[in-house]
């Protein structure tokens, strides 16, 4: 088929839409169109360019496919509403950026599922591309449509829309999948044969159409909601891990956008995973085991990355950057490299203690904006329940250090609706924030106290698949508002302000997070009724979602709010992040008793099962120093990669 | 403030092709990044939020490109102009391409006001029989309608050569007539007078010259 170039039809539209730079391609660092004859993969982020171009996963996966022989990747993003409507009016389908060809003309299309509110945008993307929404409706010559990303850990609400859902880290898994499709297409295999082969051969690949969906009672008896239709497709899909992460280059070649995107900066991923073990946190369960890249690798990547991109900001990213065993060395060296260049260095995911503040101070320079800490809960009791191993003293010592060092603004993140939460815990948020303010005041010279700002930001707890709280329900939106009201009334200080997340969107998140395959119909109906861009507060269309539920006769509230015992088989029981169901159940029981579990990168193995299941170790550059300064405990699954690697860990203890 | 220890390099560049769709802010950011990639010894402002010492010429409307755009870059060390140009070229995309670099005096006017007179060239989808220049143009500025007399801004005649129209506008300290607004009204008046079909539209729109008043 001759390539169709849509640019002559796209260009005239650009004068009529906002931010045409979203649709231009031609950025610094952008790749050539996929070569003629190569298998063409289109990587799509189901939201606008500003969000998608900044996404590290998209960048990694496009680079991974481009690095493999015989295939190439291009990018596509969902156009903003004005452009999407104009394209429909003018009959222009969704196009890729690099060659500006229809997405439907690609051999393989991959859509990342970054969060639960992107579901209707998946359908908007497919529809705009002219690809049939459901796998069952796709013809032989339609692209194979893949999904991946965090939401793959409960894939069922998306199951009918995707041919293949890839679970886990995609660095190797995605090029493998595309290569398999390429080879099978070349040998004349049918679509059905290709999907079956992917399910058989690609680790972490879930092909929903090869499984029968059971009803609840059957699922509870069978221990799984899905029954493989063929003996050779896996009954349980295990996530993939990129085992070479720690040793791989921290420099991820990137495109430098023209229009301003979120996190518009060089990103250097310094470590992957976090084993602090917060019981609500899906990422903490998903990316085990923890793997650190070396200081040399990271420092070189920052230097080279800034030189090739021209960025004036670099972020050292991970789930818990200040936990890196060499973080002080890394920040000191990066700082020295960037001296006098007007380059900002940022470290997200602030550790909540004075060490975290010391690290922030190392790179803050003169400009000290705000610091953000996440105590997550207002009382020690509830922090123990969620295993947020942070005390008031930790928070206060962080506040003391931050305000003494010159910061004047601090944001505290909390969750409302956590399991076992009572009104006392809500009042505890107000009390903690006010006492934090008092500490800040004491640390600041009298004439500067007027500029102190303490803000409280509350998200609604969303139970996530593959976490110890997966069996727990979300509180109703009305109850959320009551608790937020109580919080607001409990805050007496004018300098402490309270912000909260809209419970209506958190409700949709919870349904998407916990639902089974029946939720897909709800998503499609909501989209047909006009829901799209649900994550954009001003575009969230509540009526479309409630109308869809009524029309289908389903009760999303039940899905979001039901609480189950740990013996209940959940709709994602056939997907595993390598953390064992036993561990999750045990953690939930410990939560109920208020017993905490230590971080295995510092202390004992918590027996989550990830390392032995995957045949991997936690990979650290050197021993992480225990918080109390004591000897780090022994852990059989911990490997030291750095210069101390020649020393047997056990021998040091 | 002029720091006599710094070197003021004026770089002329082309903004062509699709990159004519960039906003002024997007363009400014792209140029700063090219300077960083070029590894030039750019000066950094002192103070709370250090940033590159760079100054941009008069902004172009989105959709209008240019062949003689420029910015002033302050350097802490002298780099021979041809060498600086070569480094910038190496670090720039083809549609945002530096074509000249020369050192200028600190006392020379700021980049944003140095060249208030701009000549534009618009290539239309077809050749009009003639063009009709409107006398007045109503524009919306800060939500208020304002009527501008074209004669106050237009310098010399509007030239028509086949499908190409060439005109020169001068910016006034009190305000200016945007080239895209002028072209839009020119098309409307020309079509209304029956000198061109209603489908008449620009296929290319460039600022081709900028000069002092």
């Amino acid at each position: 088929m001759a390539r169709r170039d849509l640019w002559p039809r796209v260009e005239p539209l650009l004068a009529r839409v906002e931010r045409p730079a979203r649709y231009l391609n031609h950025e610094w660092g952008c790749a050539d169109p996929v070569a003629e004859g190569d298998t063409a993969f289109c990587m799509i982020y189901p939201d606008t360019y500003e969000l998608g171009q900044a996404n590290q996963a998209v960048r990694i996966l496009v680079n991974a496919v481009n690095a493999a022989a015989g295939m190439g990747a291009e990018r596509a993003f969902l156009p903003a509403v004005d452009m999407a409507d104009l394209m429909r009016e003018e009959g222009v389908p969704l196009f890729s950026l690099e060659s500006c060809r229809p997405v439907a003309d690609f051999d393989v299309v991959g859509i990342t599922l970054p969060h639960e509110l992107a579901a209707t945008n998946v359908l908007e993307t497919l529809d705009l591309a002219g690809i049939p929404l459901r796998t069952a409706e796709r013809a032989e010559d339609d692209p194979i449509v893949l999904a991946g990303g965090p939401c793959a850990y409960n894939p069922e609400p998306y199951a009918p829309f995707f041919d293949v859902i890839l679970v886990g880290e995609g660095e190797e898994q995605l090029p493998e999948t595309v290569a398999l499709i390429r080879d099978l297409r070349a040998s004349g295999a049918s679509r059905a044969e290709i999907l079956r082969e992917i399910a058989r051969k690609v680790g972490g690949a879930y092909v929903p159409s090869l499984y029968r969906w059971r009803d609840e009672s059957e699922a509870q008896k069978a221990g799984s909601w899905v029954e493989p239709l063929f003996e050779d497709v896996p009954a349980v899909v295990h996530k993939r891990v990129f085992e070479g992460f720690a040793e791989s280059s921290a420099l991820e070649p990137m495109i430098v956008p023209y229009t301003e995107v979120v996190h518009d900066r060089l990103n250097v991923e310094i470590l992957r995973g976090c084993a602090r073990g917060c019981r609500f946190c899906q990422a903490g369960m998903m990316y085990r085991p923890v793997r650190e890249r070396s200081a040399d690798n990271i420092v070189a990547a920052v230097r080279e990355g800034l030189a090739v991109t021209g960025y004036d900001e670099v972020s050292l990213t991970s789930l818990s950057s200040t936990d890196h065993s060499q973080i002080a060395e890394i920040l000191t060296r990066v700082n020295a490299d960037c001296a006098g260049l007007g380059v900002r260095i940022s470290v997200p995911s602030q550790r909540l203690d004075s060490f975290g503040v010391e690290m922030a101070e190392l790179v803050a320079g003169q400009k000290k904006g705000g610091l953000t800490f996440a105590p997550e809960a207002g009382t020690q009791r509830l922090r123990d329940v969620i295993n947020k191993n942070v005390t008031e003293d930790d928070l206060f010592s962080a506040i003391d250090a931050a305000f003494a060092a010159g910061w004047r603004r601090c944001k505290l993140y909390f969750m409302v609706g956590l399991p076992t939460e009572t009104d006392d815990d809500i009042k505890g948020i107000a009390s903690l924030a006010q006492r934090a303010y008092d500490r800040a005041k004491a640390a600041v010279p009298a004439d500067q106290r007027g500029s102190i700002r303490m803000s409280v930001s509350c998200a609604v707890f969303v139970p996530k698949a593959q976490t110890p709280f997966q069996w727990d329900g979300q509180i109703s939106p009305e109850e959320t508002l009551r608790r937020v009201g109580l919080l607001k009334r409990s805050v007496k200080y004018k300098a402490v302000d309270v912000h909260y997340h809209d419970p209506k969107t958190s409700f949709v998140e919870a349904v998407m997070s916990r639902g089974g395959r029946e939720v897909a119909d709800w998503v499609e109906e909501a989209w047909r009724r006009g829901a799209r861009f649900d994550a954009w507060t001003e575009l969230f269309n509540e009526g479309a979602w409630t109308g869809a539920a009524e029309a289908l006769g389903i009760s999303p509230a039940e899905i979001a709010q039901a609480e189950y015992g740990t013996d209940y088989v959940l709709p994602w029981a056939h997907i595993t992040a390598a953390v064992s169901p036993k561990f999750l159940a045990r953690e939930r029981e410990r939560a109920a008793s208020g017993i905490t579990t230590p971080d295995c990168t510092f202390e004992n193995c918590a027996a989550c099962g990830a390392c032995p299941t995957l045949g991997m170790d936690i990979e650290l550059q050197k021993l992480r120093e225990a918080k109390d300064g004591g000897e780090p405990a022994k852990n059989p699954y911990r490997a030291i990669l750095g210069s101390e690697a020649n020393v047997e860990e056990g021998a040091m203890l | 403030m002029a720091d006599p220890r710094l070197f003021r390099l004026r770089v002329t560049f082309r903004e062509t092709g699709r990159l004519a769709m960039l906003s002024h802010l997007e363009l400014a950011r792209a140029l700063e990044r090219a300077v960083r990639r070029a590894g030039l010894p750019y000066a950094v402002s002192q103070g709370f939020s250090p940033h590159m010492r760079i100054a941009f010429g008069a902004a172009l409307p989105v959709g209008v490109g240019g062949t003689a755009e420029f910015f002033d870059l302050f350097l802490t060390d002298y780099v021979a102009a041809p060498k600086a140009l070569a480094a910038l070229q190496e670090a720039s995309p083809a549609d945002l391409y530096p074509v000249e670099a020369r050192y200028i005096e600190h006392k020379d006017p700021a980049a944003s006001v140095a060249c208030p007179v701009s000549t534009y060239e618009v290539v239309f989808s077809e050749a009009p029989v003639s063009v009709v220049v409107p006398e007045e143009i109503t524009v919306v500025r800060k939500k208020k309608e304002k009527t501008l007399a074209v004669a106050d801004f237009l310098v010399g005649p509007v030239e028509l050569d086949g499908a190409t129209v060439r005109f020169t506008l001068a910016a006034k300290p009190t305000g200016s007539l945007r080239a895209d607004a002028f072209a839009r009204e020119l098309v409307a008046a020309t079509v209304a007078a029956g000198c061109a079909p209603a489908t008449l539209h620009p296929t290319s729109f460039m600022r081709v010259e900028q000069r002092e008043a």
Side-chain angles (χ1 to χ4, degrees), chain A residues 7 14-15 19-21 24-26 28 256-260 264 307-312 340-343 366-368, chain B residues 18-19 21-22 25-26 29-30 32-34 36-38 42 44 47-51 62 90-93 95-96:
Chain A
W7 181 251
L14 298 183
R19 284 219 207 198
L24 295 180
N25 192 40
H26 287 206
W28 186 256
V256 186
Y258 289 114
T259 197
E260 192 172 5
D264 203 353
V308 298
T309 61
Y311 265 124
D312 62 354
L341 297 177
V343 169
Q366 286 186 318
K367 188 176 182 177
K368 295 194 173 69
Chain B
R18 347 187 144 173
L19 298 194
M21 297 303 295
L22 298 187
L25 200 68
E26 289 163 351
R29 214 173 15 228
E32 284 181 27
R33 286 171 181 167
R36 284 201 165 81
R37 290 193 294 262
Y42 58 86
V44 172
F48 207 57
S49 178
H51 56 271
V62 171
E90 185 75 17
S92 299
D95 278 337
L96 213 54

Side-chain angles (χ1 to χ4, degrees), chain A residues 275-487:
Chain A
R276 298 205 149 229
C278 297
R279 290 172 178 138
F280 55 83
C281 179
Q282 191 183 40
M285 303 293 154
M286 243 159 62
Y287 294 105
R288 293 182 181 217
V290 170
R291 291 148 284 160
E292 294 179 350
R293 282 175 168 151
S294 74
D296 288 345
N297 184 356
I298 292 160
V299 172
V302 171
R303 192 179 300 149
E304 173 75 7
L306 289 172
V308 298
T309 61
Y311 265 124
D312 62 354
E313 183 176 356
V314 56
S315 181
L316 304 176
T317 64
S318 78
L319 294 170
S320 57
S321 295
T322 35
D323 280 339
H324 194 293
S325 60
Q326 298 172 307
I327 189 66
E329 177 193 343
I330 293 164
L331 293 181
T332 307
R333 289 171 63 186
V334 167
N335 232 359
D337 278 356
C338 295
L341 297 177
V343 169
R344 288 184 303 281
I345 303 158
S346 60
V347 184
S349 311
Q350 209 64 56
R351 187 162 129 182
L352 214 174
D353 53 24
S354 52
F355 178 77
V357 176
E358 268 171 52
M359 293 304 105
E361 209 187 338
L362 260 181
V363 293
Q366 286 186 318
K367 188 176 182 177
K368 295 194 173 69
L371 272 189
T372 301
F373 296 115
E376 309 287 4
T379 60
Q380 195 59 49
R381 183 201 71 80
L382 191 52
R383 282 193 297 275
D384 288 346
V385 167
I386 63 175
N387 203 42
K388 182 85 194 181
N389 282 309
V390 159
T391 61
E392 279 189 1
D393 283 345
D394 292 327
L395 173 65
F396 291 154
S397 72
I399 297 274
D400 291 347
F403 284 81
W407 273 281
R408 293 292 174 265
R409 283 185 292 124
C410 179
K411 191 191 270 183
L412 302 176
Y413 271 125
F414 294 94
M415 259 186 267
V416 168
L418 286 163
T420 78
E421 183 180 75
T422 65
D423 283 2
D424 285 341
D425 298 308
I426 298 288
K427 290 176 197 158
I429 296 175
S431 160
L432 190 65
Q434 292 183 152
R435 282 177 295 135
Y437 175 80
D438 291 339
R439 293 290 286 246
K441 215 166 125 183
V444 167
D447 60 323
Q448 294 175 27
R449 285 177 186 161
S451 60
I452 299 175
R453 291 288 174 275
M454 188 73 60
S455 73
V456 171
S457 198
C458 291
V460 186
F461 166 67
V462 177
K464 301 267 183 170
Q466 321 288 351
T467 69
F469 289 165
Q470 59 183 353
W471 292 281
D472 291 277
Q474 186 182 55
I475 58 173
S476 69
E478 299 75 36
E479 175 62 10
T480 301
L481 291 177
R482 188 193 70 80
R483 293 189 195 183
V484 168
L486 174 64
L487 170 60

Side-chain angles (χ1 to χ4, degrees), chain B residues 24 63-64 69 76 82 92 131 138 144 164-165 167 183:
Chain B
H24 190 60
V64 180
E69 302 302 301
T76 54
S92 299
V131 284
T138 303
K144 265 193 277 182
T164 302
V165 168
F167 58 89

Side-chain angles (χ1 to χ4, degrees), chain A residues 251-268:
Chain A
L251 178 64
E252 194 64 51
M254 64 188 293
I255 289 166
V256 186
Y258 289 114
T259 197
E260 192 172 5
V261 302
V262 299
H263 311 310
D264 203 353
R265 60 197 181 200
L266 174 69
N267 286 308
V268 174

Side-chain angles (χ1 to χ4, degrees), chain A residues 582-643:
Chain A
K582 254 190 220 154
F583 171 75
L584 296 178
R586 191 165 67 236
E587 279 296 292
R588 195 207 195 198
E589 281 148 25
R590 288 167 74 97
S593 316
I595 303 168
T596 60
T597 300
D599 180 341
C600 62
T601 63
F602 292 85
E603 299 181 42
N604 282 327
C605 171
C608 74
C611 292
T613 302
L614 296 163
M616 292 177 68
D617 283 331
I618 298 166
E619 295 175 335
L620 305 180
Q621 294 299 322
K622 58 180 202 181
L623 280 176
R624 288 181 173 185
E625 281 169 39
K627 229 170 155 187
D628 56 10
E631 287 281 296
K634 190 170 175 169
N635 184 334
Y637 296 111
R638 199 157 50 202
I640 304 299
L641 304 179
S643 51

Side-chain angles (χ1 to χ4, degrees), chain B residues 12-200:
Chain B
T12 306
F13 65 96
R14 292 192 311 243
E15 184 190 348
T16 52
R18 347 187 144 173
L19 298 194
M21 297 303 295
L22 298 187
S23 71
H24 190 60
L25 200 68
E26 289 163 351
L27 176 72
R29 214 173 15 228
L31 294 171
E32 284 181 27
R33 286 171 181 167
V35 168
R36 284 201 165 81
R37 290 193 294 262
L40 295 177
Y42 58 86
V44 172
S45 69
Q46 301 300 305
F48 207 57
S49 178
H51 56 271
M52 180 185 294
R53 294 279 316 273
I54 186 168
F56 302 98
L60 279 174
V62 171
V64 180
T67 54
E69 302 302 301
F70 62 89
F71 61 88
D72 290 351
L73 177 67
F74 294 85
L75 300 177
T76 54
D77 296 302
Y78 178 81
V79 180
K83 201 177 155 198
L85 179 65
L88 282 167
Q89 288 175 336
E90 185 75 17
S92 299
D95 278 337
L96 213 54
Y97 201 69
V99 290
E100 191 200 355
R102 65 192 167 89
Y103 284 98
I104 61 170
E105 300 289 324
H106 284 293
K107 61 176 169 49
D108 290 341
S112 56
V113 295
C115 297
V117 181
S118 296
T119 300
Y120 298 87
E121 226 172 64
V122 189
V123 181
F124 284 102
S125 48
E126 51 220 290
V129 180
S130 64
V131 284
V132 177
V133 180
E135 282 182 13
E136 285 186 336
I137 290 178
T138 303
V139 295
V140 179
R141 208 169 277 166
K142 288 179 185 162
K143 290 182 181 169
K144 265 193 277 182
E145 281 203 351
K146 198 173 168 188
T147 301
L148 303 173
V150 170
D152 290 350
F153 302 94
L154 190 62
V155 179
V158 175
E159 297 165 30
L160 175 67
D161 178 10
T164 302
V165 168
R166 198 178 159 97
F167 58 89
T168 300
L169 295 173
K172 307 278 164 180
T174 49
S176 53
L177 173 59
R178 281 173 56 132
D180 53 343
F182 176 70
R184 194 168 51 238
E185 296 302 322
L186 186 82
V187 166
T190 301
V191 169
C195 297
T199 52
L200 186 74

Side-chain angles (χ1 to χ4, degrees), chain A residues 70-109:
Chain A
M71 64 182 81
E74 298 191 13
R75 301 165 289 156
F77 302 96
L78 191 55
V81 169
D82 62 343
M83 181 69 167
D85 291 348
L86 192 56
M87 285 163 63
R88 283 202 174 93
E89 217 172 277
E90 301 286 335
V92 177
L94 185 67
F95 53 89
S96 70
L97 287 188
E98 283 79 359
S99 63
C100 206
R101 56 205 272 221
V103 165
D105 286 2
F106 280 74
D107 301 301
V108 187
V109 165

